[in-house]
């Protein structure tokens, strides 16, 4: 059946019932998020996919690495065995929606770098690789092969603590800012935080080696702009996502994941004011929901274009295709990558 409007969508949706689960990250447009069954930040969505037992298909409104993660977690070997060998399809609602930060760590380059570390020290005995969930399944598999971890912005501190309880050093991929901000919170001194372009001697003294990825949305929030906006709204509390630059996080009253920021707004008292350093679609939604607060962007509103590709029409088309048996939007991770990536994801989920 063709899905041309919301009524058509609801008809097909109702026919699928519990056989279908539609998930949405908080950054996707309002017109789409309100049609999803479950919403969340990266950690919550991973946990939902991992707990999922009943459905026959998942539609993911988000970006490619999220659909890959859902595919791995919803199709663990135990689940496939319980379903009699059936692997459920995970479809990404937005065609071509990637994450520029995830693309900044390529497997070949990471492996080459690991070899360099091995030529300097016993890398497998001394270094734990930790990757932010915003990375390809291949990078998660790399971490799993070296008994490392995945982390999200909600649990990065806990995961880094775990990693340090196992080995002396951490290689943090791909987000330099989340890695740096979290390590600083844990008291790692500046001179023990090094970039991947450091010298052999610096690697030997380092506690955390940072890849050089960044989120092009959060990175745009510059400390100079923060000062200007703070002058305009001195009463406002600055709350930011830890993908922001470290100088910005240092200026903030609080920093945390998307869920953390949402909770800050939910528990605010009428009349309070906030400067929010995060993706603009989320800021605007919160502003519309809490008209009794004063919520400001940190300078220009910066939108994630890839998340924006999850329009209502793209969701309609994905459901229409699924309903007709066309799985062209399926995101499927190969068995060779799934197995080691699961180790790194499990190491995270077991620790949180
Ligand atoms: P969280 O969902 O962990 O807050 O991360 C935000 C983000 O940038 C997702 O890509
Ligand atoms: Fe990637 Fe940044 Fe968009 Fe998140 S907001 S999907 S990190 S580009």
């Amino acid at each position: 059946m063709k899905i041309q409007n919301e009524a058509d969508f609801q008809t097909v949706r109702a026919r699928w019932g519990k056989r279908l689960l539609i998930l949405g990250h908080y950054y996707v447009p309002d017109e789409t998020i309100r049609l999803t069954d479950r919403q969340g930040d990266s950690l919550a969505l991973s946990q939902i996919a991992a707990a999922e037992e009943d459905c026959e298909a998942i539609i993911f409104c988000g970006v490619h690495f999220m659909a890959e993660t859902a595919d791995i977690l919803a199709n663990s070997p135990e689940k496939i065995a319980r379903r009699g060998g059936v692997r459920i399809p995970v479809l990404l609602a937005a065609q071509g929606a990637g994450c520029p930060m995830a693309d900044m760590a390529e497997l070949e380059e990471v492996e080459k770098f690991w070899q360099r570390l091995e030529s300097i020290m016993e890398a497998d005995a001394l270094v734990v690789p930790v990757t932010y969930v915003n990375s390809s399944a291949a990078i998660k598999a790399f971490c799993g092969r070296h008994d490392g971890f995945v982390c999200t912005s909600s649990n990065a501190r806990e995961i880094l603590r775990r990693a340090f309880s196992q080995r002396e050093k951490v290689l943090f991929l791909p987000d330099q800012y989340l890695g740096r901000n979290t390590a600083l919170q844990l008291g790692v001194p500046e001179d023990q935080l090094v970039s991947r372009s450091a010298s052999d001697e610096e690697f030997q003294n380092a506690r955390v080696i940072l890849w050089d990825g960044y989120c092009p949305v959060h990175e745009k929030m510059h400390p100079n702009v923060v000062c200007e906006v703070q002058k305009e709204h001195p009463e406002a509390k600055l709350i930011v996502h830890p993908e922001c630059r470290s100088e910005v996080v240092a200026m903030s009253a609080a920093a945390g994941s998307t869920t953390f920021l949402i909770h800050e707004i939910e528990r605010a008292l009428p009349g309070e004011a906030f400067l929010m350093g995060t993706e603009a679609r989320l800021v605007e939604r919160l502003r519309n929901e809490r008209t009794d607060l004063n919520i400001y962007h940190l300078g220009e509103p910066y939108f994630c274009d890839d998340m924006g590709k999850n329009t209502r029409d793209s969701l309609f088309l994905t459901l229409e295709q699924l309903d007709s048996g066309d799985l062209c939007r399926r995101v499927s991770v190969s068995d060779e990558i799934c197995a080691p990536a699961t180790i790194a994801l499990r190491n995270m989920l077991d620790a949180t």
Side-chain angles (χ1 to χ4, degrees), residues 14-179:
R15 183 152 40 72
W16 274 79
K18 284 200 181 322
R19 291 183 299 132
L20 173 65
L21 177 63
I22 306 182
L23 299 177
H25 189 276
Y26 290 127
Y27 289 174
V28 304
D30 287 359
E31 61 174 23
T32 310
I33 197 101
R34 62 183 191 77
L35 299 175
T36 60
D37 302 317
R38 305 283 300 273
Q39 306 81 36
D41 67 0
S42 305
L43 177 62
L45 293 169
S46 300
Q47 287 166 329
I48 294 168
E52 162 37 49
E53 287 293 346
D54 303 324
C55 74
E56 293 169 17
I58 293 177
I59 295 181
F60 209 115
C61 302
V63 293
H64 190 263
F65 76 81
M66 296 180 174
E68 277 189 331
T69 307
D71 182 53
I72 297 168
L73 293 172
N75 288 302
S76 63
E78 314 84 68
K79 285 188 182 175
I80 292 181
R82 276 201 292 278
R83 290 187 208 115
V86 175
R87 198 182 167 92
I88 62 166
V90 176
L91 312 183
L92 180 60
Q95 206 156 27
C99 165
M101 183 210 290
D103 296 340
M104 291 176 195
E106 281 181 13
L107 181 64
E108 215 177 302
E109 244 186 308
V110 172
E111 282 189 326
K112 223 194 266 167
F113 181 71
W114 190 260
Q115 278 166 16
R116 168 149 185 238
L117 288 181
E118 272 177 339
S119 72
I120 305 168
M121 61 185 88
E122 256 192 278
D124 266 309
L126 292 174
V127 188
V128 190
V130 175
T131 186
Y132 189 21
V133 70
N134 297 33
S135 55
S136 67
I139 293 295
K140 294 180 179 80
F142 166 85
C143 290
R145 280 196 295 275
H146 296 280
D147 209 15
F149 295 82
V150 172
C151 75
T152 73
S153 60
S154 297
N155 60 23
R157 211 179 329 174
E158 219 166 318
I159 298 298
L160 228 56
R161 231 185 251 127
R162 272 293 161 115
F164 282 134
S165 74
Q166 295 179 359
R167 277 169 252 164
E168 194 180 287
K169 301 171 195 289
V170 165
L171 167 62
F172 196 92
L173 304 154
D175 187 1
Q176 57 180 299
Y177 295 120
L178 180 65

Side-chain angles (χ1 to χ4, degrees), residues 215-222 225 245 298 302-303:
C215 165
V217 178
H218 290 88
E219 198 245 2
K220 287 200 184 80
M221 296 161 202
H222 206 272
V225 177
R245 291 164 182 268
L298 212 48
Y302 299 116
F303 294 91

